[in-house]
Amino acid sequence: MPEVTLKIFRGDREGGQTADYQVPVSPGMVVLDALHYVQKHLAPDLAVRWNCKAGRCGSCSAEVNGRPRLTCKTRMDSLPGDRPVTILPMKSFPVIKDLVTDVSWNYKVNKKIPGFKPRPKTEWKMRQEDVDRVQEFRKCIECFLCQNVCHVLRDHGKHEQFGGPRFFVRVAALEMHPLDGISRAALLKNELGLGFCNITKCCTEVCPEEIHITDNAIIPMKERVVDEFYDPVLKLVRRIRGEKSARE
Amino acid sequence: MNGKYETHEHDVLVIGAGGAGLRAAIEALAQGASVGVVSKSLLGKAHTVMAEGGIAAAMANVDAADDWRTHFRDTMRGGKLLNHWRMAQIHAHEAGDRVRELEQWGALFDRTEDGRILQRAFGGHSFKRLCHVGDRTGLEMIRTLQDRGVQMGIDVYMECTVTRLLTDGDRVAGAFAYWRENGRFVVFKAKSIVLATGGIGKAYPVTSNSWEYTGDGMALAYATGAELMDMEFVQFHPTGMVWPPGVQGLLVTEAVRGEGGLLRNKLGERFMQRYDPQRMELSTRDVVARAIYTEVREGRGSEHGGAFLDISHKPAEYVKRKLPSMYHQFLELADVDITRSAMEVGPTCHYMMGGLRVDPETAACTVPGLFAAGEVAAGLHGANRLGGNSLSDLLVFGRRAGFAAAEYAKKQSWPALDPAEIAQGEGEMLCVFERQAGDTPYAVHADLQQLMQNLVGIFRTEEDLKSALTGIERLKDRMGRVGVPGTRMFNPGWHLYADMKSMLAIAEAVTRSALARKESRGAHSRLDYPKTDATWGEQNNIIRRHGSEMVLEQSPVPKMPAELQTLLAEEKGAGA
């Protein structure tokens, strides 16, 4: 069986460096299989977060040869076989140990978002066409790879002022739910800092669920904020019609 | 007294944050209890996310003739009548309300033409009954419950593993746990506990289950004196991936067959003709799993030891829309485009029908203050579970367990924690660092998995099961000697050591029950007792701890009322 060298980050909050491990490669093997091999045979205390190994739970995110990936869906044979494979933890979150990072910040952001609130006297009927676009967002497995690559977080560290692509997708899913009755435009503008996003689409590129984060979630949400806060004509029309507004 | 440890107090402690645990927590919160949820993983990653096909509920949105009676009948027949009739009745009654509730909390199911929740066909169900979201129903369900819980202010202790339940006399008093991140110990004091820890799949090498499925809840409760029931019934899902090796066991949803997928052997025969000509591919899982296994054993299997499952006769766009995860899974992991060619599939360890013996109304275990819901509990599914009945089980009995645990807590004073128990809990986790690392938990785990696959798998014999028991004893000895290198900081070797204690106890329970049941029924197939036996059909196997011994005895299956017996005898339905 051919062998490959893995260069895996070993360390914790205090720092660390990569260590080399030789791993035999079998057909169809994914990076997470290789990490498990290392745990089993070479370094039993190598910290890796994973659950399903089926691309369903979004736990095993890491940076493989510089690309943010789910290690359970990254085939070894998709990587160049003649040089070492480098596996580092996600950069935008503090390292706990080895490949495990502290992603608790995401759960704090999520708590700021008001949940689904049905309109009064809702009749529970929806058309598939209206559900389709929300179902795209509901595919999100919370792997946080989009958060990891977003330069607002990765390079500028604006975790305090910015929610990140994952939560724009979450808000978009709520806002576009055919039966939802509240507006989250003020939240997007103020607390989640949607304005910081300058639509470079890095998030869309790394999404393992192929959600069109920028085009289908972020841009429509930006438009919604503009409509709510910066369009005087629309605002007047809304007031006359008595429609909902983020500022009421 | 516990100054040494971080301590948290809750009226109700829920262990497990999958569908059942979250539904229980939501209900207990709604009843005014203070609730803590402890989870081995991050919130939203529990095994429920992997459920694909749907939630079974007789809502009659697609087939108007469906109702709870038919669902009840299908469930009982699927379980070979070993189910607790009352659980099956409650489940069939309440599943629809629980699905509607999810929708009202924001879940978005696929729709019918007239805008209602769409339902699809599934094995063993007489009507189109499974409410679904493509092939990612579990994700939709867990996200909905997670969001609901977060909105209600749920306290979640993420990446925290319970290694011991604490007691005060007969009743439960709390739990002893460690943080996975830094290895520090933490004590939970609680008036009642809901176990929602799922199944045992990781005791087998070929499984669709995530790493968390190590039988923790069953082992914790067993150690505390609770009774286990019908542990011999381990479901092998007929269709797991078989190639390449790294993905062996990964689930291929039954929805492929629900949407019209056909099973063939290497000769191109639709072999289900030989095993269940009436229901063919949509026969129950036990039958289809044995059929594929038999085809392979008799030399008619595929190249990598499976059967062919083919949906490529359906339009490519339809396949991609109804089975998007399957499409991507095969394309990315096996280089197979399922819209063009067949999948190679074979049985994979999928679900535990057995588990903790519970009261049907309240989900109470046989230890006061302890409740259990979802896969960790026994009774609803009897000898074989129908697809789609698991997600509905989580919701129906998760809610009931949460309600009953909150009610119980209201009537109780705070229990006292026993420092000796806590010290024991600490000792059994720390001793492993003092040993010379030779044998590792990884090696013992791999050997246990091979043993279970070879000797306690789909087909069983007395000889194999006896040698399995001897083997398990040897593995226990080895676990008493393994060492773990490294520190307590996020150390997977140490984590596996904790999980192995549960897996070994559960493996023994499965083997003992399988040895005792001298018949074949549902998922339990004995080559030396190939027939179904009417006497065994009236017996549940019960396991409890007696000192350090595991004792097993039979208990009569609860008798169902006359009107349900009549209902069951009616000819309608998917047949037995």
Side-chain angles (χ1 to χ4, degrees):
Chain A
M1 231 179 271
E3 289 210 342
V4 69
T5 306
L6 302 188
K7 286 182 156 335
I8 305 173
F9 177 81
R10 302 298 313 262
D12 53 29
R13 287 198 163 99
E14 310 294 313
Q17 57 196 0
T18 60
D20 289 4
Y21 301 95
Q22 287 295 119
V23 174
V25 179
S26 57
M29 191 178 199
V30 294
V31 171
L32 185 56
D33 290 319
L35 294 171
H36 285 160
Y37 179 91
V38 174
Q39 285 185 325
K40 226 174 197 172
H41 302 282
L42 306 168
D45 63 340
L46 171 69
V48 178
R49 189 185 271 131
W50 70 289
N51 269 46
C52 71
K53 211 176 93 66
R56 297 303 182 97
C57 76
S59 302
C60 63
S61 306
E63 304 194 356
V64 181
N65 285 350
R67 269 193 72 83
R69 310 287 296 262
L70 288 180
T71 57
C72 74
K73 282 176 85 176
T74 307
R75 294 261 296 258
M76 292 298 286
D77 58 15
S78 73
L79 305 167
D82 53 348
R83 46 196 162 96
V85 175
T86 306
I87 308 165
L88 305 178
M90 285 192 285
K91 188 192 162 201
S92 297
F93 305 108
V95 171
I96 292 174
K97 190 184 154 200
D98 304 337
L99 299 179
V100 176
T101 56
D102 179 356
V103 294
S104 58
W105 168 78
N106 292 288
Y107 290 86
K108 287 188 200 118
V109 175
N110 187 42
K111 280 188 185 168
K112 296 181 189 168
I113 302 170
F116 171 66
K117 193 155 187 279
R119 286 199 287 267
K121 294 184 196 149
T122 293
E123 203 198 333
W124 294 94
K125 285 201 172 182
M126 290 172 258
R127 295 189 317 167
Q128 185 63 46
E129 303 89 277
D130 297 330
V131 165
D132 276 339
R133 60 180 189 164
V134 186
Q135 284 184 333
E136 180 191 2
F137 306 141
R138 302 282 290 183
K139 290 194 302 187
C140 172
I141 56 174
E142 297 201 323
C143 63
F144 305 131
L145 287 173
C146 59
Q147 307 287 73
N148 182 46
V149 292
C150 176
H151 63 99
V152 181
L153 298 168
R154 190 179 179 98
D155 301 326
H156 304 291
K158 292 211 178 293
H159 293 70
E160 290 304 314
Q161 299 117 290
F162 187 65
R166 157 59 190 140
F167 296 104
F168 301 140
V169 167
R170 162 127 172 82
V171 172
L174 289 161
E175 289 287 295
M176 296 186 199
H177 190 302
L179 304 177
D180 182 66
I182 58 172
S183 165
R184 297 163 190 81
L187 175 94
L188 283 169
K189 175 173 171 287
N190 303 324
E191 287 178 67
L192 299 183
L194 183 61
F196 283 113
C197 166
N198 54 358
I199 51 176
T200 51
K201 297 200 176 183
C202 309
C203 50
T204 304
E205 274 175 38
V206 297
C207 179
E209 289 297 313
E210 297 177 358
I211 300 170
H212 297 89
I213 301 175
T214 313
D215 291 348
N216 292 355
I218 293 181
I219 292 174
M221 287 303 102
K222 278 179 174 277
E223 286 168 353
R224 202 160 285 208
V225 170
V226 169
D227 289 351
E228 287 279 354
F229 291 92
Y230 306 107
D231 187 335
V233 178
L234 249 174
K235 208 167 104 187
L236 191 68
V237 173
R238 281 229 179 88
R239 187 155 300 166
I240 292 163
R241 285 190 187 158
E243 282 178 15
K244 70 175 184 177
S245 157
R247 287 200 258 187
E248 279 159 18
Chain B
M1 149 198 109
N2 305 307
K4 201 176 152 194
Y5 304 98
E6 174 189 348
T7 302
H8 300 276
E9 292 187 359
H10 291 284
D11 295 328
V12 178
L13 184 71
V14 178
I15 304 176
L22 290 174
R23 189 62 190 84
I26 288 166
E27 193 63 22
L29 275 167
Q31 297 307 315
S34 96
V35 181
V37 178
V38 184
S39 160
K40 287 212 282 190
S41 294
L42 295 173
L43 184 59
K45 309 295 185 194
H47 188 62
T48 304
V49 297
M50 294 176 77
E52 294 169 349
I55 312 179
M59 295 165 74
N61 287 354
V62 176
D63 287 331
D66 199 8
D67 71 354
W68 76 266
R69 292 171 192 84
T70 326
H71 193 182
F72 168 80
R73 191 189 296 127
D74 290 345
T75 301
M76 291 297 295
R77 287 184 183 176
K80 310 298 170 205
L81 308 187
L82 209 62
N83 329 48
H84 194 306
W85 65 268
R86 180 59 184 148
M87 285 179 89
Q89 186 187 31
I90 288 172
H91 171 254
H93 265 151
E94 296 181 2
D97 284 345
R98 297 288 79 77
V99 171
R100 278 184 281 270
E101 199 168 63
L102 276 191
E103 176 161 86
Q104 287 160 13
W105 295 346
L108 283 168
F109 293 97
D110 288 356
R111 319 305 300 182
T112 61
E113 287 289 323
D114 64 345
R116 293 181 298 163
I117 295 174
L118 181 60
Q119 301 187 275
R120 66 158 54 118
F122 236 57
H125 291 282
S126 304
F127 296 105
K128 288 184 175 160
R129 189 176 282 150
L130 267 73
C131 310
H132 62 276
V133 187
D135 54 7
R136 53 161 196 89
T137 313
L139 175 65
E140 185 70 15
M141 178 160 142
I142 202 152
R143 210 58 91 222
T144 305
L145 293 171
Q146 177 185 349
D147 292 340
R148 178 79 180 177
V150 167
Q151 298 300 319
M152 290 174 81
I154 203 173
D155 279 317
V156 187
Y157 303 90
M158 299 197 291
E159 298 196 313
C160 184
T161 303
V162 172
T163 60
R164 202 182 172 94
L165 296 182
L166 304 171
T167 54
D168 178 0
D170 288 344
R171 62 181 278 216
V172 293
F176 182 79
Y178 67 88
W179 292 108
R180 300 176 77 80
E181 177 176 332
N182 54 29
R184 286 209 202 99
F185 295 119
V186 50
V187 171
F188 295 95
K189 187 173 176 176
K191 293 177 181 171
S192 58
I193 292 180
V194 177
L195 293 169
T197 55
I200 65 155
K202 278 292 157 183
Y204 289 82
V206 180
T207 176
S208 63
N209 291 178
S210 74
W211 72 263
E212 296 190 282
Y213 265 36
T214 54
D216 297 1
M218 296 174 204
L220 292 169
Y222 164 77
T224 312
E227 289 173 356
L228 297 168
M229 187 170 94
D230 293 341
M231 293 294 284
E232 63 273 42
F233 296 104
V234 179
Q235 179 170 78
F236 288 82
H237 193 290
T239 60
M241 288 176 80
V242 295
W243 186 258
V247 297
Q248 206 186 2
L250 206 64
L251 189 65
V252 179
T253 176
E254 188 167 327
V256 176
R257 285 173 285 141
E259 297 293 348
L262 304 176
L263 281 169
R264 291 196 183 88
N265 59 20
K266 78 169 178 194
L267 308 175
E269 299 169 326
R270 280 183 70 190
F271 57 85
M272 284 310 296
Q273 194 81 46
R274 277 196 281 282
Y275 304 89
D276 188 346
Q278 235 176 1
R279 293 183 295 183
M280 297 293 286
E281 280 83 2
L282 287 181
S283 180
T284 52
R285 289 177 176 178
D286 51 340
V287 176
V288 183
R290 273 193 297 270
I292 294 176
Y293 189 92
T294 306
E295 289 298 306
V296 174
R297 204 178 40 182
E298 292 176 0
R300 296 184 296 275
S302 65
E303 184 187 349
H304 302 105
F308 294 105
L309 175 60
D310 195 357
I311 186 87
S312 64
H313 52 280
K314 294 269 176 185
E317 279 318 303
Y318 180 82
V319 173
K320 286 187 206 171
R321 188 160 56 80
K322 296 309 279 188
L323 304 163
S325 309
M326 287 304 109
Y327 173 72
H328 286 287
Q329 182 172 313
F330 273 89
L331 202 60
E332 287 162 26
L333 298 176
D335 304 321
V336 171
D337 178 351
I338 67 169
T339 66
R340 291 162 177 273
S341 46
M343 299 161 247
E344 251 188 289
V345 295
T348 177
C349 179
H350 184 60
Y351 188 86
M352 182 60 173
M353 270 75 69
L356 289 160
R357 188 184 207 182
V358 291
D359 172 64
E361 310 290 335
T362 62
C365 299
T366 50
V367 167
L370 195 57
F371 300 80
E375 191 170 349
V376 72
L380 170 61
H381 308 292
N384 174 60
R385 175 174 72 81
L386 297 185
N389 271 0
S390 177
L391 291 186
S392 42
D393 174 10
L394 306 184
L395 294 171
V396 168
F397 292 100
R399 174 180 157 277
R400 280 179 168 260
F403 183 87
E407 286 292 303
Y408 178 91
K410 278 180 198 164
K411 296 180 204 127
Q412 298 291 325
S413 56
W414 284 101
L417 297 178
D418 176 2
E421 273 189 344
I422 294 171
Q424 273 180 353
E426 186 182 74
E428 68 193 8
M429 283 306 292
L430 290 183
C431 64
V432 71
F433 286 109
E434 287 150 24
R435 298 185 200 138
Q436 287 295 322
D439 214 357
T440 68
Y442 295 100
V444 182
H445 184 213
D447 289 348
L448 174 69
Q449 290 183 319
Q450 271 320 313
L451 177 149
M452 293 302 283
Q453 186 86 7
N454 295 341
L455 304 176
V456 199
I458 294 184
F459 287 105
R460 300 154 175 187
T461 66
E462 180 161 322
E463 193 189 341
D464 283 353
L465 293 167
K466 280 185 170 161
S467 89
L469 279 180
T470 318
I472 290 168
E473 282 311 306
R474 244 181 264 134
L475 293 173
K476 281 189 197 162
D477 280 349
R478 277 173 64 192
M479 272 313 286
R481 294 194 303 272
V482 295
V484 170
T487 69
R488 282 157 72 181
M489 280 287 291
F490 212 112
N491 185 339
W494 190 45
H495 300 168
L496 183 58
Y497 166 76
D499 294 339
M500 275 307 294
K501 287 196 345 178
S502 302
M503 276 188 272
L504 283 167
I506 292 321
E508 181 181 345
V510 171
T511 310
R512 285 193 188 281
S513 294
L515 187 58
R517 184 170 289 276
K518 293 182 167 49
E519 67 155 349
S520 292
R521 178 180 300 273
H524 174 66
S525 305
R526 286 282 298 257
L527 287 174
D528 41 358
Y529 299 95
K531 293 218 167 72
T532 304
D533 177 313
T535 319
W536 271 107
E538 292 168 2
Q539 307 286 334
N540 293 119
N541 271 332
I542 306 294
I543 279 181
R544 70 170 72 83
R545 188 173 67 83
H546 194 275
S548 61
E549 291 292 295
M550 191 175 269
V551 293
L552 183 144
E553 63 186 29
Q554 282 76 44
S555 166
V557 173
K559 253 205 151 38
M560 81 178 86
E563 71 268 22
L564 289 183
Q565 284 186 32
T566 315
L567 183 64
L568 204 58
E570 282 174 37
E571 270 312 302
K572 290 179 216 155

